Amino acid sequence: MAVEGQGSDLVKVVALLGAGVVAVPLFKRLGLGSVLGYLAAGLVIGPFGLGWFSDPQAILHVAELGVVMFLFIIGLEMQPTRLWSLRGEIFGLGLSQVLACGVLLTGAAVLFAGLSPAVAFVAAMGFVMTSTATVMLLLDERGETSTPRGQRIVSVLLLEDLAIVPLLAMVAFLAPPSEGVGQSRWLAIGTGVAAIVGLVLAGRWLLNPLFRTLAAAKAREVMTAAALLVVLGAALLMEIGGLSMAMGAFLAGVLLSESTFRHQLEADIEPFRGILLGLFFLSVGMSLDLTVFTSDWRMVIGGTLLFMAIKAAGIYGIGRLYRASHGDALHRTALMAQGGEFAFVLYAAGAAAGVFDSRLSAIFTAIVILSMALTPLVVMSLRWLLPREDQSMDGVDHARGLTGRVLLIGFGRFGQVASQAWLARGIEVAIIDTDTEMIRTAGEFGFKIYYGDGTRLDVLRASGAGKAQVIAVCIDNRESAMKIVQLVRHEFPHVKLLVRAFDREHAIRLIEADVDYQIRETFESASRFGEAALLALGVPAAEAEAVAADVRRRDIERLDQQVTGGINAGTDLLHSNRLKPTPLTEPRHPGEALSPETAAVTRAGD
């Protein structure tokens, strides 16, 4: 029996949440990503799976708000000046990609599927509209949203959002003629322009005063409600104007991007965005009509592969035309060679206008959904398809025949600071690193760094490891550091070995490997930071120094215990905020006293 028959909306909510909670961690553990997990879960609980839901379109309509909120948060990161700087990518790269892919896909639909030009155009342009939700979530998971290549992809997505307006107008033009159509087209255009102008004016003159007034009331829940009101109100205004709701939310975000309330708004919207975006992918999975697969599976599968391949060729070609590297063009192609949620709107409009029948609309929709499901797999394949980019060796010398009392491996932030003490004493230091860009940059500041991988024995020999008195390993990769330690201990046992530890567990491994000295990369700075905070709180300098010394002593003792007793040993030496510790300051009221341990530390400092 369907869940709807249970007469409880709560059961529906539990089913939706349960499907996502089970499927997404499983798919992420398999390396398939959260998008595919949501789509699969939606297919299982939808009308063509277990049949718990019979009207996925109703859920999809609500879940689209997840995409809307996602675009609002992206807009908050896009200050107008930053958006203006991307105008070339938006109206140059974006428009070129949409036009090129539209022409190629329309031609393919006419030649290979035998569709009429009008039907082929609507089908093709629906597939040109990339899934903003899928791409943005994949970029977010990979931490690429704010990177240059990510920003170029966002620019293209913005142009596609803008393109939905003229495309809907063109569907109306392609519809069979009827009375009043011309008037309604001009009315739709005027309404859309009025909606954009109204939103810009409201954002410029009303939103900041509104949030200042609400902030003065100091009611957090009202601020959250106001944030939702702005997002949903902007989306509603754009929908009334016949435009994309996501574009309205994005514009609202841009208008608030320079507001002092930007971070508060982002924090308020984030929980709703995540849940509704997951619900969106669940409903898309539910919408996949398996009866279409059984009756027209050749057209669905063939159409999906054909459209994805042709769109991929168009994206890659335009990327290279705009001087993108092979890797960047391939990365953009893998993410964007799919249809998107705007195709559902365009196909529904086409069917309503009589451009094609409901059967073709269902087939086109299935093609788009299948392409969205395949995209995470295509992105995963990048690790094999994308060649490793070779570093430019211009101006970089390989390590050969180096000499120096100290061999420094790794000249990042840690190594740069550490080397200053040796160089101040006039000690000869040989330095190697594998980051060619850093090597060239360091050369501009008067340093001579050689290219060399310290995990290779031949490089260590060429770098003078056999003649050095000290080898300082300052790289930030713990496994590579351990490999260097093993090589040095085996091949150059006479050399003093000093190693930068990544964390406490790494430090224990280094001690067990019998290095001469190790230090955790953040320990000393964190200790000094804590001591400075005590001074800022008014603790006398002598007492703050005593506390810092006690913390260091406890840390050394705990580390010794962990070497023999495991990582969980010595926890009693930690100061916890669960129990009030014995004060390490002079008593300020009668009856207070220093602990015996603190008194001993204080006397030792005297």
Side-chain angles (χ1 to χ4, degrees):
M1 182 182 292
V3 171
E4 287 92 337
Q6 304 295 327
S8 172
D9 290 335
L10 184 60
V11 176
K12 300 178 185 178
V13 174
V14 171
L16 286 169
L17 294 176
V21 166
V22 171
V24 172
L26 176 62
F27 273 68
K28 292 194 77 170
R29 181 175 289 273
L30 294 174
L32 300 177
S34 59
V35 173
L36 205 55
Y38 281 122
L39 293 173
L43 181 62
V44 170
I45 65 176
F48 303 100
L50 297 176
W52 291 355
F53 295 86
S54 59
D55 187 14
Q57 293 302 317
I59 299 173
L60 181 62
H61 188 68
V62 176
E64 284 176 352
L65 296 177
V67 183
V68 168
M69 292 181 182
F70 205 163
L71 266 294
F72 176 74
I73 292 176
I74 296 299
L76 286 175
E77 301 295 330
M78 289 279 188
Q79 289 83 4
T81 52
R82 186 177 178 188
L83 193 61
W84 178 252
S85 69
L86 292 173
R87 65 189 183 281
E89 283 82 0
I90 295 174
F91 297 104
L93 174 63
L95 185 60
S96 298
Q97 180 173 309
V98 167
L99 292 177
C101 292
V103 170
L104 290 173
L105 290 172
T106 300
V110 172
L111 291 175
F112 296 103
L115 300 177
S116 67
V119 174
F121 174 78
V122 176
M125 296 312 296
F127 201 86
V128 166
M129 300 292 104
T130 307
S131 172
T132 302
T134 304
V135 172
M136 294 306 300
L137 190 58
L138 289 171
L139 286 174
D140 196 44
E141 287 181 346
R142 295 161 64 92
E144 296 176 340
T145 305
S146 299
T147 63
R149 62 166 51 171
Q151 291 297 289
R152 283 188 286 272
I153 291 173
V154 171
S155 300
V156 177
L157 292 174
L158 290 176
L159 191 281
E160 291 179 354
D161 284 354
L162 292 171
I164 190 66
V165 182
L167 285 175
L168 288 172
M170 293 186 74
V171 168
F173 275 103
L174 293 172
S178 61
E179 291 186 18
V181 171
Q183 182 179 359
S184 65
R185 289 168 182 165
W186 286 110
L187 179 62
I189 294 173
T191 304
V193 172
I196 294 176
V197 172
L199 179 58
V200 172
L201 292 176
R204 189 173 183 85
W205 302 109
L206 296 179
L207 292 185
N208 276 315
L210 170 66
F211 283 109
R212 277 196 296 269
T213 302
L214 296 177
K218 297 182 179 179
R220 175 67 185 272
E221 67 280 2
V222 177
M223 286 289 287
T224 302
L228 290 172
L229 175 64
V230 168
V231 177
L232 300 182
L236 177 61
L237 183 61
M238 289 296 105
E239 188 177 41
I240 292 173
L243 306 176
S244 160
M245 290 194 299
M247 188 180 75
F250 176 81
L251 284 176
V254 171
L255 293 169
L256 287 167
S257 61
E258 295 181 335
S259 166
T260 54
F261 307 101
R262 178 169 71 90
H263 298 292
Q264 179 66 50
L265 290 169
E266 186 173 353
D268 288 338
I269 292 296
E270 182 65 28
F272 301 98
R273 188 274 297 179
I275 293 174
L276 289 172
L277 196 59
L279 187 60
F280 169 80
F281 288 114
L282 280 170
S283 56
V284 170
M286 293 181 205
S287 302
L288 187 59
D289 190 344
L290 294 184
T291 59
V292 174
F293 273 98
T294 56
S295 59
D296 295 285
W297 64 271
R298 290 184 181 86
M299 189 169 182
V300 172
I301 296 176
T304 302
L305 297 178
L306 177 66
F307 269 26
M308 288 187 75
I310 292 176
K311 187 179 180 184
I315 295 171
Y316 182 84
I318 292 297
R320 296 292 280 173
L321 185 64
Y322 277 78
R323 299 180 179 178
S325 67
H326 171 66
D328 278 355
L330 204 58
H331 176 266
R332 192 181 310 152
T333 299
L335 282 169
M336 304 191 76
Q338 57 169 311
E341 53 274 4
F342 289 130
F344 307 149
V345 177
L346 200 63
Y347 294 158
V355 177
F356 44 70
D357 57 27
S358 58
R359 173 180 168 272
L360 280 178
S361 178
I363 291 173
F364 296 155
T365 300
I367 288 173
V368 169
I369 294 175
L370 185 57
S371 72
M372 292 170 66
L374 290 175
T375 296
L377 300 177
V378 175
V379 173
M380 284 177 57
S381 69
L382 277 179
R383 68 187 68 176
W384 294 286
L385 294 176
L386 201 59
R388 185 174 180 178
E389 295 185 4
D390 295 329
Q391 298 188 85
S392 171
M393 299 301 292
D394 293 341
V396 176
D397 295 326
H398 285 271
R400 292 188 182 91
L402 304 186
T403 59
R405 293 176 63 190
V406 177
L407 171 59
L408 172 58
I409 304 174
F411 199 64
R413 292 171 299 169
F414 190 96
Q416 290 168 21
V417 175
S419 67
Q420 287 299 292
W422 316 325
L423 296 171
R425 289 289 305 226
I427 296 172
E428 187 180 1
V429 182
I431 309 174
I432 62 172
D433 203 296
T434 56
D435 186 343
T436 56
E437 187 61 34
M438 188 280 302
I439 292 174
R440 280 188 286 268
T441 303
E444 296 174 3
F445 290 89
F447 292 92
K448 181 58 181 177
I449 318 296
Y450 294 88
Y451 182 85
D453 183 358
T455 62
R456 292 174 48 183
L457 180 57
D458 61 323
V459 172
L460 288 176
R461 294 187 188 280
S463 302
K467 300 176 182 178
Q469 292 178 288
V470 171
I471 294 179
V473 182
C474 298
I475 59 176
D476 59 1
N477 186 306
R478 70 186 85 185
E479 295 306 322
S480 295
M482 291 305 302
K483 186 174 181 180
I484 295 171
V485 167
Q486 293 168 2
L487 281 173
V488 171
R489 274 287 167 257
H490 186 267
E491 299 293 332
F492 315 105
H494 64 283
V495 178
K496 295 290 185 182
L497 185 57
L498 287 67
V499 187
R500 164 191 183 179
F502 180 80
D503 55 18
R504 195 173 198 87
E505 188 175 352
H506 188 208
I508 294 171
R509 292 175 64 191
L510 291 171
I511 293 172
E512 292 171 344
D514 196 30
V515 301
D516 295 286
Y517 181 80
Q518 58 74 31
I519 185 169
R520 301 196 300 284
E521 58 186 21
T522 58
F523 179 73
E524 280 299 327
S525 56
S527 297
R528 294 294 299 273
F529 190 88
E531 186 176 346
L534 289 178
L535 295 173
L537 291 168
V539 176
E543 295 177 15
E545 186 179 349
V547 172
D550 179 64
V551 170
R552 286 186 177 88
R553 179 191 61 78
R554 285 170 174 264
D555 183 81
I556 293 171
E557 186 176 340
R558 180 173 167 235
L559 196 61
D560 289 340
Q561 292 186 23
Q562 288 176 319
V563 171
T564 56
I567 193 68
N568 294 320
T571 53
D572 57 309
L573 293 167
L574 287 171
H575 290 295
S576 169
N577 62 351
R578 290 190 177 184
L579 300 174
K580 187 175 181 181
T582 306
L584 286 171
T585 60
E586 292 289 344
R588 300 184 181 279
H589 301 286
E592 290 185 351
L594 289 172
S595 66
E597 181 183 76
T598 306
V601 171
T602 305
R603 286 194 298 272
D606 296 338

